[in-house]
Amino acid sequence: MMMLNSTFKLSPILLAVAAQLAMSANATAIEGITAADKLALKSRTVYFDRDYEKRSSNDSTLAQGLELNYQSGEISDFFTVGASFYGVANIKSSGSAGGNILPSGSHAGDVRGGFGKVGQAYIGLSLVEDSNITLGYQKTKTMLLASSGSRAIPSTFRGITGNYQWQSFKVYGYVFDEWSRRGDDEWESFETVNGDDIDYVWGFGTTFKQGKWQADAEYLNSDNYLAKYGIRGSYSDKLAGGKIKLSAGIFFSEDDGSAFKAGSDKNLDNIDSNDGQVYYLDANWNYQMLTFGVAFAQVDEIWIEDNFAGDHGTNPLPTRAPIGPDLTNAEETIWQGRVGFDFAGIVDGLTINMTYTEGKDAENAKLGAAGGTADEDYWAIDTRYNVAAVKGLKLRWLYADYNSDETGSVGGVKDDEKDHRVYVDYSYKF
């Protein structure tokens, strides 16, 4: 696979200057730099309740998150600036909640009372029509690397991103050398679970959209550790009075340097090399208020979801669990069934989606079936309500019930777990 020159490193001076310019420009945000400036406040009240097979691991957290997001209009016809300030406060926590929504406290399992940080500070450049380059601290979202939005605030990254749109094609690329977790106020370098440095994470990809067809392809490299790449495509059309979408994809992961060794990821059964592969097939049919879906995935050698320690991965498979395990273990066969309800016209803004997923015949990634086998499954109910009577108010309740049956050791399989997650989001644009 292609490798970036190992001596290349993002310039701290360049990034510091970009961030300083962005933050300095935002000092006048209240008055506005341009007539197209945007200033928005987002409040998220979040409640997690997690019950594990080992009761000593149970935890719950009620917390309040706040985001103040600023985006300028175009300045001098070629650049914009933006910044986001994040804050999280603990309301009530119990059990081993540390490091989840809030950083760990001074006692085992405890959490800190709260924190605040600059989550984004960036400059956007439009040097060529239909293109954009962003420098600084920023959120990101691609097929293989995305800022997680499942906690009180999102994770963010420091680096450079760029994209260019040409007709039905969009190409993009990124290089990052630091990140800030969704549950912490620190900015830190990338590393493996063993503590080996990953100097940067970089990648590039393309998307294609035309009529009923869509396709995505991406390559990602965690320097001296892991390479991942894949492609997926979909076709949408009308069927039996409704709409059907058929999709398929294949993804690969490979060891890519000396940082990949036994213990570099706690879920990998101490493998010291990887040539992972997983493919999926998916069908989704929507008819009036109902949606039905079915998906199948097959793993060969274990496909690695996490790009670095603490990442919790960006999983492009439809069979992924909304909470918990990856379901990409060696030799695992996964089936999924889905049904959804959209109550538009009855209770506008209310949707309920239910999913059952089953993974069979997973094996120990290093030793095969001789080292361990496992089956796993989960139920999930995702209820969302966009409150029409209150602009900007969104409610969500996510429930997941995960169970496993393991003989020997399969690192990616977890203990039984039940999760309740409640989100109350409110956004206001000034």
Side-chain angles (χ1 to χ4, degrees), residues 85-205:
F85 303 93
Y86 298 156
V88 183
N90 179 44
I91 299 174
K92 185 177 181 180
S93 296
S94 64
S96 55
N100 188 10
I101 296 175
L102 289 138
S104 298
S106 55
H107 303 288
D110 196 10
V111 301
R112 281 168 46 187
F115 66 89
K117 65 180 179 182
V118 176
Q120 296 191 96
Y122 58 85
I123 292 177
L125 302 174
S126 297
L127 304 177
V128 178
E129 188 177 1
D130 297 323
S131 71
N132 184 70
I133 298 172
T134 304
L135 302 89
Y137 301 81
Q138 57 191 284
K139 292 192 295 184
T140 191
K141 184 178 182 180
T142 71
M143 187 167 63
L144 297 178
L145 181 66
S147 297
S148 171
S150 65
R151 299 303 194 267
I153 58 172
S155 52
T156 48
F157 297 83
R158 186 180 81 165
I160 303 171
T161 62
N163 62 77
Y164 175 70
Q165 184 78 42
W166 179 72
Q167 296 183 0
S168 299
F169 291 90
K170 180 180 180 179
V171 294
Y172 60 87
Y174 51 87
V175 187
F176 299 115
D177 70 344
E178 285 191 2
W179 75 307
S180 186
R181 306 180 190 223
R182 58 196 180 181
D184 207 338
D185 57 350
E186 299 293 330
W187 283 89
E188 56 187 300
S189 300
F190 303 111
E191 62 181 16
T192 69
V193 171
N194 281 335
D196 292 318
D197 290 337
I198 299 173
D199 287 339
Y200 41 81
V201 175
W202 65 278
F204 59 88

Side-chain angles (χ1 to χ4, degrees), residues 22-153:
M23 287 188 286
S24 297
N26 280 300
T28 61
I30 299 300
E31 296 181 2
I33 299 176
T34 76
D37 289 1
K38 297 178 182 178
L39 182 65
L41 178 68
K42 179 181 178 181
S43 166
R44 165 169 283 185
T45 306
V46 58
Y47 174 70
F48 280 20
D49 183 83
R50 307 196 297 183
D51 294 329
Y52 295 92
E53 186 174 352
K54 297 178 180 178
R55 292 184 178 275
S56 59
S57 299
N58 291 356
D59 67 73
S60 67
T61 303
L62 176 63
Q64 178 62 51
L66 286 174
E67 297 180 32
L68 183 63
N69 299 306
Y70 171 76
Q71 169 73 59
S72 78
E74 196 167 71
I75 304 167
S76 299
D77 296 327
F78 77 97
F79 79 97
T80 60
V81 295
S84 295
F85 303 93
Y86 298 156
V88 183
N90 179 44
I91 299 174
K92 185 177 181 180
S93 296
S94 64
S96 55
N100 188 10
I101 296 175
L102 289 138
S104 298
S106 55
H107 303 288
D110 196 10
V111 301
R112 281 168 46 187
F115 66 89
K117 65 180 179 182
V118 176
Q120 296 191 96
Y122 58 85
I123 292 177
L125 302 174
S126 297
L127 304 177
V128 178
E129 188 177 1
D130 297 323
S131 71
N132 184 70
I133 298 172
T134 304
L135 302 89
Y137 301 81
Q138 57 191 284
K139 292 192 295 184
T140 191
K141 184 178 182 180
T142 71
M143 187 167 63
L144 297 178
L145 181 66
S147 297
S148 171
S150 65
R151 299 303 194 267
I153 58 172

Side-chain angles (χ1 to χ4, degrees), residues 253-265:
S253 64
E254 300 176 351
D255 59 283
D256 197 50
S258 60
F260 195 103
K261 62 184 71 168
S264 57
D265 186 315

